[in-house]
Amino acid sequence: MAQVSSIANEQTSTPLSSPKTILLRISRYNPEHDESSRFMEFDVPYQRWTTVLEAILEVKKHFDHSVAVRYSCRQATCGSCGMIINGKPRLACFTKISELNSEVVTVEPMNNFPIIRDLAVKFEKLFESHQKIKPYLVRDDTELETDQKEFLQSPEEVEQYIQFANCIKCGLCNSACPTMATDSSFVGPQALAQAYRYVADSRDKGKDSRLKIIDDSHGIWRCHFAGSCSQVCPKGVDPAMGIQLLRGYLLGFRS
Amino acid sequence: MDNENRREGIFGMANPGRFGIERVAYWLMRLSGLGLLAYFVAHIYETSTILRGRAGWDDFLALTQTTEGHIVLAIVIAMCVFHTVNGIRVMLGHGGVGVGKPARPDYPYDPASQNYRHKIGIYSAIILAAIAMMYGLAVMFGE
């Protein structure tokens, strides 16, 4: 334990050294005692490979440790560090400062999510919507209980949904969605893309029940194909495509 | 902006600046839809003036013969053409036409649903609306 502590001390006492700095503007807001959000500004040194998340952690180490930010894997896999960076929803660990081409980097919490504090937002609604569309393969229990049954698929069948299986539930698509900006009951592009992922899976038998769930006034028909969700997805999921293809099932173009 | 819920509201929905031409089309579609709705209401009122006889009808119609009236009608023509052409594009997209096929994505992940077909559709809607508006202005202001 003492060794871990000394490593931590060593890390916190070694700031990034670089001749290049950016002005990092961090949105600060604590719902418990702030009436409105405000920006705090920090000059942060950076290298060509420095990510926005590393710059925020640099601020936490050397300037203000009270900045609230959620992160985990630092390699665009966990989907924890979604935030608005220079006006667009992005993953902080996947966005290099050098690629933003700006002397000023502004970070804010994601839109269309309640704020916990500063850059951290609540994901309850996203996970509720995700669970609502039954994000698992629906089969008869008897088929699943026997260990002799294999659910084989051709490569062509896998192609139908594998893109949508890349979703990391980061919430960036919901944050970019203009419908979510005005309709708090809208199920959102994340859940709809996942509905398509399972509906298009040849092993699944839950298509009808899923289509019934999303065939709602705040469901799939609220999407107006602005495409912003697909533009911000860091994993290439393309929810806009999934939603339009899903509509094909409801309109009878696909079976 | 609602701070605690971080909801952008109507301005966030309408913000055309961050997400490319698709969001501009989304914004213009709503704006033209509301404009055409307002015109529809005004048009019903206009036709109701016939109940006041020929004089009442002519009085109201005279409003459209002014410079301002011509400009309003030209904007209505543009809104009508844009809403129609872009609406056809969106309906085709909703039917799964032109949105691409699912495939394993390769970095840098250009979304297939935001392809050139839809961009051409959007630019066509804008250009046709501009041409129709200019033609309307030429007819109304031309001698």
Side-chain angles (χ1 to χ4, degrees):
Chain A
M1 191 57 136
Q3 191 184 3
V4 172
S5 171
S6 70
I7 291 169
N9 285 337
E10 190 183 327
Q11 284 180 343
T12 53
S13 63
T14 314
L16 280 172
S17 62
S18 169
K20 291 187 288 186
T21 61
I22 47 120
L23 181 69
L24 183 64
R25 299 176 71 237
I26 301 178
S27 174
R28 306 299 304 272
Y29 176 66
N30 186 340
E32 286 181 8
H33 52 72
D34 291 340
E35 283 195 1
S36 62
S37 62
R38 66 191 194 284
F39 283 99
M40 288 183 76
E41 298 181 346
F42 305 92
D43 279 315
V44 183
Y46 75 101
Q47 306 281 359
R48 187 164 52 88
W49 52 82
T50 306
T51 64
V52 173
L53 179 62
E54 286 167 339
I56 295 168
L57 295 179
E58 184 74 1
V59 167
K60 278 179 74 71
K61 278 181 189 171
H62 301 291
F63 301 110
D64 185 348
H65 68 273
S66 69
V67 172
V69 60
R70 181 164 49 210
Y71 67 99
S72 182
C73 74
R74 307 192 195 196
Q75 54 182 11
T77 301
C78 73
S80 296
C81 64
M83 59 186 72
I84 306 288
I85 300 172
N86 281 6
K88 284 187 79 171
R90 309 174 208 249
L91 289 181
C93 71
F94 197 46
T95 307
K96 291 195 192 77
I97 286 168
S98 54
E99 77 188 43
L100 292 170
N101 295 319
S102 173
E103 300 287 308
V104 180
V105 175
T106 304
V107 290
E108 300 163 84
M110 282 196 291
N111 296 322
N112 309 329
F113 287 86
I115 298 176
I116 297 171
R117 189 158 66 86
D118 298 343
L119 303 172
V121 294
K122 291 178 189 168
F123 268 70
E124 278 84 350
K125 174 76 179 10
L126 182 136
F127 291 138
E128 271 173 29
S129 301
H130 182 69
Q131 286 172 347
K132 195 173 149 189
I133 57 96
K134 302 184 179 179
Y136 42 80
L137 292 181
V138 176
R139 299 288 300 207
D140 297 335
D141 286 348
T142 50
E143 291 178 297
L144 299 170
E145 282 165 6
T146 169
D147 52 5
Q148 294 175 354
K149 178 85 176 176
E150 285 184 277
F151 302 111
L152 298 176
Q153 286 186 305
S154 67
E156 290 76 26
E157 286 172 328
V158 174
E159 289 275 305
Q160 290 300 309
Y161 71 86
I162 193 69
Q163 175 178 17
F164 299 90
N166 287 350
C167 177
I168 56 172
K169 290 90 183 165
C170 60
L172 295 186
C173 53
N174 282 14
S175 177
C177 175
T179 302
M180 294 221 77
T182 48
D183 182 2
S184 57
S185 302
F186 178 45
V187 68
Q190 188 278 333
L192 290 171
Q194 289 309 287
Y196 175 77
R197 179 254 175 271
Y198 288 97
V199 165
D201 193 324
S202 60
R203 300 166 296 178
D204 183 70
K205 288 182 174 176
K207 185 179 79 177
D208 292 341
S209 62
R210 274 192 207 91
L211 293 181
K212 201 173 176 184
I213 292 165
I214 60 170
D215 187 10
D216 179 78
S217 58
H218 295 285
I220 194 164
W221 307 111
R222 290 288 285 164
C223 167
H224 296 289
F225 195 22
S228 309
C229 51
S230 300
Q231 290 173 22
V232 301
C233 180
K235 307 302 281 185
V237 171
D238 203 347
M241 182 210 281
I243 295 168
Q244 312 320 317
L245 296 179
L246 203 53
R247 278 191 171 124
Y249 289 99
L250 284 158
L251 295 171
F253 300 144
R254 300 166 75 92
S255 57
Chain B
M1 168 98 58
D2 174 357
N3 269 305
E4 194 166 341
N5 291 313
R6 191 68 188 169
R7 194 160 294 287
E8 283 189 299
I10 199 83
F11 292 107
M13 183 192 83
N15 186 343
R18 297 172 295 173
F19 298 105
I21 192 69
E22 288 83 5
R23 181 61 79 90
V24 175
Y26 175 89
W27 179 66
L28 289 175
M29 192 72 177
R30 258 126 210 86
L31 214 57
S32 58
L34 289 171
L36 289 172
L37 179 67
Y39 177 76
F40 180 62
V41 172
H43 184 66
I44 290 171
Y45 177 75
E46 177 202 15
T47 47
S48 73
T49 57
I50 202 153
L51 295 173
R52 289 190 276 141
R54 183 171 186 139
W57 172 257
D58 286 345
D59 277 353
F60 194 87
L61 218 59
L63 288 174
T64 62
Q65 301 305 314
T66 60
T67 303
E68 295 82 5
H70 287 169
I71 290 169
V72 168
L73 287 177
I75 291 169
V76 169
I77 292 168
M79 288 193 299
C80 198
V81 172
F82 178 84
H83 206 80
T84 303
V85 178
N86 191 56
I88 291 169
R89 175 191 74 84
V90 172
M91 281 196 290
L92 289 172
H94 286 179
V97 177
V99 294
K101 290 180 180 171
R104 291 173 196 271
D106 288 323
Y107 192 77
Y109 305 138
D110 289 326
S113 63
Q114 317 292 292
N115 59 33
Y116 72 94
R117 291 188 203 94
H118 280 279
K119 284 185 170 48
I120 288 173
I122 294 166
Y123 286 119
S124 300
I126 294 169
I127 291 166
L128 286 172
I131 291 171
M133 188 172 77
M134 284 189 285
Y135 179 71
L137 286 170
V139 169
M140 287 184 283
F141 284 107
E143 291 301 323

